[in-house]
Amino acid sequence: MAAVTDNTRGDMTDPPGGRSSAPRAGSRSTETWKREIIRQLKHRDRNQHAMYQDLIRFYTQLLEKSSMAKGILSCTSRRPSSDSSNSLSSLLHQNNQLKKTTGELAYQVVELQQQIKIKECVLEEQHASLSEAERLWTGAFNARQELQERVAQVQEENTALKAEYDALLQRQSQAEAELREGKVRGGHLLEDMIHMKQQAAARMNNRNERRSRAREAHLQKELQSAARSKVTIDSCSSAPTSRSTSPKSEEQNESNERGHTRLFRSASATSPRILSSIRELFHRKRRGHSVCSQEEDLMIPVGFCLSARVPARARQVLEAHEQGINAVRFSSSSDLLATGGTDRVIKLWEVRGGSLSHRATLDGSTEGITCIDFDPAGSRILAASYDKSALLWRLDNSVPKLTLTGHSRKVTAARFSTLLHQVVTGSADRTIRLWDLQRAACVQVSEVASFCSDLVCSENCIISGHFDCKIRVWDTRTVGCVQELPAQGKVTSLDISSDHRQLLSCCRDDCLQLVELRRRSNERMCFRAEGFKCGSDSTKAVISPDGCFLAAGSADGAVYIWNASTGNLETRLPDKHSSSISAVAWSLSGEYVVSVDKSRLAVLWSDF
């Protein structure tokens, strides 16, 4: 603005003369141009004052210098020619300086423009990054809202599930209470049923005793009346009494006397009426509640083994059952073998010439077989089952002849007693029961404090093994435990020697224990071997028929045989079983040993 004022003043102080009109017109146009430039510059300064402040300052100076140069030139043109030569050089010098200054200013203007463009690019990038950040922030905000909505929904679902869980927990508590009440009622009903059966058995026993005493009294009366009556004996029907009897008839009479035992020495005992009465008495006795036939009552003599032979090799390996085998037993004649497993059947095998051939299959059990036993005559077979019962078969019939029910849990052991028509069972319900086969009823119950795993029978006593590491001896006459023998661990099986002098027990601590029963000290010997391991809670071990060896199957699939007198391992029979051996049986003839396992295999071993 100062430059503009100076130029105006210069124009107004021009020298007087007639030639001043043209310069004045030029000065007006110059002033109009300046005002326009100033107006634009002010407008630009208002818009970009901070950015172009330096440029405006330099440009204003340039305009001032340019205006001064034009004023000087105009003054010079109005001066006399004499002064033009002197001032021309100075004007040219000033013009060069102005051009130089103008170039520098233009260069600075270009540089500033480039810096402006760079800053504008940076500003655009910042705007773009700001937009991207705003977009990301918007997405994150939306995701946060969605997550909050999801959290609220999950909380609602959790609240509903918690309410359902509380309701289910309450129903479960009610169901458990009802179950406990049902178990209590079931226990009471079972006790009532057992009590009723015991009462029924006692009433039946009393009735049978009264009938027996009545029959005996009636028979005594008939015998007394027959003894008082006179009987005429014909010569053809009676034995000759004269000395002229032939030797042949005497030998026949002697043989008859040896073959039959006379109940009465009186001649009246041969009366047809007495014989018919005695015959009818025995027939009535057998027609009662007996499930045994006359042939079963006869005790067939059983052979004994003088010397058992230690097996050396496998004679036959076969898949005896469709599932695992739990029990194996030889008959008293050693020519018949029985196996029972979890497939709910018992299979009978004939042993001939060192091989096993299938003879028959006995079914009727609803669950797996746990134990097998032959009667001394070899005509019947008894089995314990998981279905809480014991079953009795005749060997000529595949249908069970008798089913003994009364246990509340699985039956783990079933044996024929030394008394005729009696069997003993042991169960997981911690009871031992004595059964009368003639009446198909339980006549004695012994409660135990532990799970019964196996049992054997001796004269007037029952020996049972339990999971509380004890062996108990029960007297059947006093119905009580008379002795407790400690064991090394959980008892899995028991076996008694043929002379009833030694008891073998197999325990879960991988040890066999042999106890002397006839000595008060109950001396015992333990048998162990490297590699032998009791495979399950029902592993069965046996004594050889002569009592010289012990045999048991191991979890590694091998049969271990010990010498009973020395305690040393006699032999080990490997490589035939691929799984744990569950039971071993030794034939009464001493020739064969059979081992069975959980993988359906049965192996026949012998020494030849």
Side-chain angles (χ1 to χ4, degrees):
M1 296 297 294
V4 172
T5 305
D6 292 340
N7 290 333
T8 305
R9 289 176 181 177
D11 292 338
M12 293 177 66
T13 56
D14 287 339
R19 296 177 294 182
S20 62
S21 59
R24 287 174 181 172
S27 63
R28 289 193 194 98
S29 62
T30 303
E31 290 176 357
T32 303
W33 176 74
K34 287 180 180 180
R35 282 194 298 269
E36 182 66 21
I37 293 299
I38 291 171
R39 187 183 63 80
Q40 293 178 0
L41 290 174
K42 285 182 179 180
H43 179 72
R44 187 175 181 180
D45 183 66
R46 284 193 301 269
N47 295 330
Q48 299 179 353
H49 180 271
M51 187 179 297
Y52 296 100
Q53 186 175 5
D54 296 337
L55 181 63
I56 291 172
R57 187 176 66 253
F58 291 138
Y59 190 73
T60 303
Q61 293 176 2
L62 179 62
L63 289 177
E64 289 177 354
K65 290 179 180 182
S66 176
S67 299
M68 290 174 64
K70 287 182 179 181
I72 293 172
L73 288 175
S74 64
C75 291
T76 304
S77 63
R78 287 192 298 267
R79 289 177 183 178
S81 58
S82 57
D83 297 332
S84 60
S85 58
N86 295 327
S87 61
L88 183 61
S89 59
S90 61
L91 291 173
L92 291 174
H93 180 70
Q94 291 177 358
N95 191 16
N96 292 331
Q97 288 181 352
L98 289 174
K99 289 181 179 179
K100 184 176 179 181
T101 305
T102 303
E104 291 177 354
L105 292 175
Y107 179 75
Q108 291 178 359
V109 168
V110 172
E111 287 183 349
L112 291 174
Q113 288 178 351
Q114 290 179 354
Q115 291 178 1
I116 289 171
K117 290 181 179 179
I118 292 171
K119 291 182 178 181
E120 287 178 352
C121 293
V122 173
L123 184 61
E124 290 179 356
E125 292 178 356
Q126 291 178 353
H127 280 298
S129 61
L130 180 61
S131 300
E132 182 68 19
E134 289 179 352
R135 187 180 63 81
L136 294 176
W137 179 83
T138 304
F141 182 75
N142 295 332
R144 177 175 173 272
Q145 288 182 345
E146 292 179 357
L147 290 175
Q148 287 179 348
E149 294 176 357
R150 180 60 180 168
V151 166
Q153 184 179 359
V154 170
Q155 287 178 351
E156 293 178 357
E157 294 177 354
N158 288 339
T159 303
L161 291 175
K162 180 66 168 54
E164 294 179 0
Y165 173 76
D166 293 337
L168 289 175
L169 189 62
Q170 185 177 2
R171 288 199 296 270
Q172 181 186 3
S173 301
Q174 295 176 357
E176 288 179 351
E178 292 177 357
L179 178 62
R180 287 192 295 269
E181 292 177 358
K183 286 184 177 180
V184 172
R185 288 196 301 269
H188 291 331
L189 289 175
L190 182 61
E191 292 177 357
D192 294 341
M193 185 179 66
I194 293 174
H195 184 64
M196 291 173 61
K197 285 190 175 182
Q198 290 176 351
Q199 289 180 350
R203 287 194 299 270
M204 188 179 294
N205 290 336
N206 294 331
R207 191 183 305 113
N208 292 334
E209 289 178 0
R210 288 196 300 270
R211 289 177 181 177
S212 178
R213 286 195 297 268
R215 285 194 297 268
E216 290 178 358
H218 181 66
L219 182 58
Q220 287 288 344
K221 290 180 180 179
E222 289 184 352
L223 290 176
Q224 290 177 1
S225 61
R228 286 193 297 269
S229 63
K230 295 181 179 180
V231 180
T232 59
I233 300 175
D234 298 333
S235 59
C236 60
S237 61
S238 61
T241 56
S242 62
R243 295 183 179 180
S244 63
T245 306
S246 61
K248 184 176 180 179
S249 61
E250 291 180 356
E251 292 176 359
Q252 185 176 359
N253 292 333
E254 291 175 0
S255 62
N256 291 335
E257 291 177 358
R258 286 194 302 267
H260 302 280
T261 303
R262 295 186 178 182
L263 297 177
F264 305 98
R265 297 185 179 273
S266 173
S268 61
T270 60
S271 172
R273 187 161 59 94
I274 299 302
L275 293 177
S276 62
S277 300
I278 296 174
R279 190 179 300 111
E280 184 181 358
L281 174 63
F282 281 98
H283 287 176
R284 283 199 305 268
K285 182 178 180 181
R286 295 200 179 278
R287 282 197 303 268
H289 298 275
S290 174
V291 294
C292 306
S293 63
Q294 184 176 2
E295 290 80 4
E296 293 171 352
D297 294 341
L298 299 177
M299 301 298 292
I300 300 176
V302 178
F304 58 91
C305 175
L306 295 178
S307 177
R309 297 193 291 268
V310 178
R313 67 185 185 92
R315 294 297 303 271
Q316 187 178 2
V317 180
L318 67 138
E319 287 190 1
H321 286 256
E322 296 179 357
Q323 298 179 16
I325 308 174
N326 299 326
V328 61
R329 178 74 66 173
F330 275 98
S331 66
S332 57
S333 58
S334 300
D335 59 353
L336 192 62
L337 178 74
T339 57
T342 55
D343 56 357
R344 301 177 295 181
V345 298
I346 294 177
K347 291 190 177 182
L348 301 178
W349 309 85
E350 291 185 356
V351 185
R352 291 181 180 178
S355 64
L356 299 176
S357 59
H358 183 259
R359 174 177 170 179
T361 300
L362 307 180
D363 53 10
S365 176
T366 59
E367 294 188 24
I369 304 298
T370 60
C371 181
I372 298 174
D373 193 24
F374 279 96
D375 70 336
S379 60
R380 294 175 296 176
I381 188 169
L382 179 67
S385 174
Y386 279 98
D387 62 1
K388 308 175 186 178
S389 68
L391 300 95
L392 180 70
W393 287 270
R394 285 180 55 89
L395 298 185
D396 55 358
N397 192 351
S398 61
V399 179
K401 185 175 182 180
L402 183 63
T403 301
L404 305 176
T405 58
H407 287 286
S408 60
R409 296 182 64 183
K410 67 177 180 179
V411 181
T412 55
R415 304 286 186 185
F416 282 97
S417 175
T418 55
L419 301 177
L420 196 61
H421 307 316
Q422 286 188 353
V423 296
V424 183
T425 58
S427 171
D429 62 0
R430 301 180 180 181
T431 61
I432 298 173
R433 295 175 180 266
L434 181 64
W435 305 82
D436 187 352
L437 297 181
Q438 288 183 320
R439 293 176 291 158
C442 177
V443 296
Q444 182 176 313
V445 179
S446 300
E447 295 184 357
V448 199
S450 177
F451 184 104
C452 177
S453 58
D454 199 3
L455 58 85
V456 293
C457 298
S458 183
E459 297 178 0
N460 297 322
C461 69
I462 302 170
I463 305 175
S464 58
H466 302 271
F467 275 11
D468 61 353
C469 306
K470 290 183 180 180
I471 300 172
R472 293 176 171 85
V473 181
W474 307 83
D475 192 339
T476 57
R477 295 167 295 185
T478 61
V479 194
C481 180
V482 297
Q483 189 177 7
E484 287 187 358
L485 304 176
Q488 299 293 329
K490 290 182 179 179
V491 180
T492 64
S493 72
L494 295 177
D495 192 25
I496 194 167
S497 61
S498 57
D499 57 0
H500 292 190
R501 293 179 178 272
Q502 293 177 321
L503 177 69
L504 174 65
S505 63
C506 181
C507 301
R508 284 293 281 169
D509 65 339
D510 308 328
C511 173
L512 272 65
Q513 182 176 269
L514 191 62
V515 181
E516 293 289 340
L517 297 177
R518 298 299 176 91
R519 298 180 182 178
R520 293 183 178 179
S521 59
N522 290 327
E523 297 179 1
R524 57 179 58 89
M525 181 183 298
C526 294
F527 299 83
R528 299 180 184 271
E530 183 178 358
F532 174 75
K533 184 175 180 61
C534 184
S536 68
D537 290 340
S538 59
T539 301
K540 301 294 191 296
V542 296
I543 305 176
S544 64
D546 59 354
C548 296
F549 303 100
L550 312 177
S554 174
D556 60 0
V559 179
Y560 289 76
I561 298 179
W562 289 267
N563 190 309
S565 59
T566 63
N568 297 328
L569 183 66
E570 193 74 19
T571 184
R572 179 178 179 271
L573 306 175
D575 303 333
K576 296 301 178 183
H577 292 280
S578 59
S579 62
S580 176
I581 297 177
S582 55
V584 178
W586 206 313
S587 66
L588 296 182
S589 63
E591 297 177 341
Y592 302 107
V593 172
V594 174
S595 57
V596 295
D597 61 19
K598 299 294 184 180
S599 62
R600 304 175 293 178
L601 291 182
V603 181
L604 178 66
W605 307 86
S606 69
D607 64 334
F608 57 91

